[in-house]
Amino acid sequence: NAGVTQTPKFQVLKTGQSMTLQCAQDMNHNSMYWYRQDPGMGLRLIYYSASEGTTDKGEVPNGYNVSRLNKREFSLRLESAAPSQTSVYFCASRSTSGALWAQYFGPGTRLTVL
Amino acid sequence: QKEVEQDPGPLSVPEGAIVSLNCTYSNSAFQYFMWYRQYSRKGPELLMYTYSSGNKEDGRFTAQVDKSSKYISLFIRDSQPSDSATYLCAMSGYNSGAGSYQLTFGKGTKLSVIP
């Protein structure tokens, strides 16, 4: 049981390049989330998917797109990277039993845009 | 006023000390309260969660919620160097506009426990 996994762990992009961050969970959770974490700003929600087949914008969606590929996988795409998107990106999924309101996080992707 | 306020620290204590970490919030709709621990260059990990007002204990950790004051605390007894991390409070309530539960995080308090 790996929990939430993310790839890649690190990435350096040039301004204007595109990339997709991958996330997968093996806990059979319905809801999945993408956050970015910046110094002094805390965790900010980019997009979320309440269930397979649905996606919705969070607090800071501009410049990003998402795809809920199936129940396990939720990807985040940067179509034209900008230096302001330099950040650490975390994927999370929400429990469907026990602590129904808690989210479980992956290890993160450190992205630098030059 | 921000929905969740958390003192960023840093907080430095000697090994063995009792640590108190706190958050205040303004949204009465928050019903569920969590503490996450984040080690440097790692993802946040769920440490404790609670639904009601009162105390919940797990080993050296105690989570306390006072809904009337909109105040939550995390106490760490006999603190260890391995407790050095950033601690984030998080709160959840049903967001009718979004049609789902969402978490609102504090910005985190950085704790260092000195041997």
Side-chain angles (χ1 to χ4, degrees):
Chain A
N1 189 335
V4 180
T5 56
Q6 292 182 238
T7 55
K9 287 187 170 54
F10 304 93
Q11 186 71 48
V12 178
L13 292 177
K14 294 181 180 178
T15 296
Q17 287 185 317
S18 63
M19 78 162 295
T20 300
L21 283 65
Q22 306 286 355
C23 173
Q25 53 91 10
D26 62 2
M27 297 177 282
N28 199 35
H29 290 174
N30 287 326
S31 300
M32 297 184 72
Y33 306 81
W34 276 105
Y35 293 88
R36 59 178 290 173
Q37 188 176 41
D38 303 289
M41 302 294 290
L43 282 160
R44 293 184 290 171
L45 183 64
I46 304 171
Y47 270 93
Y48 67 97
S49 171
S51 61
E52 186 178 355
T54 68
T55 60
D56 285 287
K57 296 178 181 179
E59 181 184 354
V60 288
N62 291 344
Y64 305 95
N65 285 301
V66 290
S67 295
R68 183 74 183 266
L69 303 171
N70 47 55
K71 189 171 185 179
R72 291 186 63 248
E73 298 172 288
F74 189 36
S75 63
L76 178 71
R77 182 160 179 85
L78 287 70
E79 291 291 352
S80 179
S84 61
Q85 294 177 305
T86 292
S87 188
V88 182
Y89 292 85
F90 290 103
C91 177
S93 65
R94 185 167 71 85
S95 175
T96 53
S97 63
L100 293 174
W101 44 91
Q103 293 180 17
Y104 296 86
F105 286 79
T109 294
R110 293 185 172 272
L111 175 66
T112 300
V113 183
L114 302 175
Chain B
Q1 182 185 10
K2 295 191 193 311
E3 278 197 300
V4 178
E5 299 271 9
Q6 183 176 11
D7 187 335
L11 181 62
S12 185
V13 301
E15 183 175 354
I18 296 175
V19 176
S20 172
L21 304 168
N22 311 295
C23 288
T24 59
Y25 64 96
S26 58
N27 188 343
S28 298
F30 288 142
Q31 298 174 286
Y32 311 110
F33 305 91
M34 283 139 278
W35 286 95
Y36 285 83
R37 178 175 60 196
Q38 186 175 21
Y39 290 115
S40 179
R41 305 181 78 83
K42 301 288 186 183
E45 61 174 316
L46 181 65
L47 191 60
M48 295 190 73
Y49 63 91
T50 185
Y51 169 67
S52 58
S53 284
N55 293 352
K56 182 177 181 179
E57 191 172 317
D58 184 0
R60 297 184 294 111
F61 297 89
T62 299
Q64 189 173 82
V65 175
D66 182 348
K67 287 187 178 180
S68 63
S69 301
K70 297 189 178 67
Y71 188 88
I72 71 169
S73 300
L74 178 71
F75 298 96
I76 307 174
R77 291 184 299 281
D78 187 25
S79 57
Q80 302 296 309
S82 58
D83 295 327
S84 297
T86 296
Y87 290 81
L88 301 98
C89 62
M91 309 178 186
S92 179
Y94 189 73
N95 184 323
S96 57
S100 69
Y101 287 95
Q102 294 189 11
L103 287 187
T104 301
F105 287 88
K107 292 186 178 180
T109 301
K110 187 171 183 179
L111 172 68
S112 296
V113 181
I114 310 302

